Amino acid sequence: MEAAAQSVYPFEQKCPFAPPEELTWRRRNAPVSQVRLANGNTAWLVTRYDDVRTVLTDPRFSRRQVREAAMRGGPPGTPAPAPQGGSTRTTPPPSGRFDFGMSLSDPDRHAAWRRTLASVLTPRHAESLRERVARAVEETLDELQDGPQPADLVSCFAYQVPVRVLCELFDLPEDVRPAFRAWAALIRAAAPSTAAFGEAMGSLYGVARRLVDKERAAPGEGVIGLLLTAAGEEAAPTDDELLTTVMLLATAGYESTAVQFANGLLALFQHPGEAARLRAGQVSAAAAVEEILRYAQAGTGFAGTTVTTEDVRLGGETIPAGSTVLISLDSAGRDESHTDRPDEFDLGQGAPHHHLTFGAGSHFCLGAALARVELQEGITRLLRRFPTLRPHVSPAAVEFTANLFHRYPRELPVVWS
């Protein structure tokens, strides 16, 4: 296979968690190379762990233009012209658009606020929520157990637990929770339409506005109240910062966690011996989740899109200024030079440094610690509650669907009796 013989990126994937042959070939032979996109544009694709980490942490790889494209409703991989100034909008996003805010902006614009966020969203804070996360999982399992069989773990579990956990994270008032659940239904139905995604985010804005107003009046124990307390009067956050924070945490904490639940459970069904080891306590929940995060990725190929602000030498190539750069987290997790036996699913070898699923540097996911707690509690309690849980169809027959950034099982029917 020659690097010049480019298939359209993302490359065709025949097995859910096996990277396409061309992606593997590029990682081994052309780790930084150009690809053609479906819209006719070209981009640079980065495939090795160390190089992907560089893109995530080097300020010469900027997300500013990608943020502008997202606000305009543009598809992934097609950055808009560089912005001419900042925005201080406090009104809902226009129809079909969503300001991704801190997740796609350059670190200098939000460094101070990110430090405040990081001071609250710590591993210790995540651990303080473990009991409430466990309760949210058990409530979901109660409903699953009382329901019919076969049951779909995607709709009845993977997409249910994160909604309950987010309600606890934000300490949402009971009268606001129905609107939040309505948003969750909208955002799931929106995939993979960018316009529908923007419409759903308009719905979330209403929830965020009510929550911010409540916390402004009387800061509570939810994350927004804690942020207001941590920031203090001198560094008091603006409404835009608080609203964007709610929307970012809700979006990232809902769909990405749901997808990881679904993909992780399918991987366990594909490897029943590993599921048995986890049930028996032969591997820790923490290690199991890290291996799931490394192995059971199924990205669309557009997460972490950046644009170079100057010529950058990387992986033996010079990427010109103004180039669109794509990273493959899936490929980075299978980098032979970084992880032993990268194509094997072995829960015992799971470790945080084996993957970049949560990003790195200034773009490291601030909700990573809570996501880990959620996955640990969710998967282990599910297997414990249903010791005979098994797929109702062959794992090889499970169909995949996709949103903007992830691929995951459309349904995962199971039985337990």
Side-chain angles (χ1 to χ4, degrees), residues 157-158 161-162 256-266 374-375 378-379:
F157 181 79
V161 172
S256 61
T257 307
V259 164
Q260 199 61 70
F261 266 129
N263 285 343
L265 290 169
L266 176 58
E374 194 170 342
L375 290 166
I379 291 174

Side-chain angles (χ1 to χ4, degrees), residues 88-113:
T88 58
R89 184 179 67 240
T90 57
T91 55
S95 176
R97 303 180 187 179
F98 170 52
D99 182 351
F100 282 88
M102 283 172 291
S103 71
L104 293 179
S105 63
D106 288 311
D108 55 346
R109 279 185 74 175
H110 294 288
W113 182 235

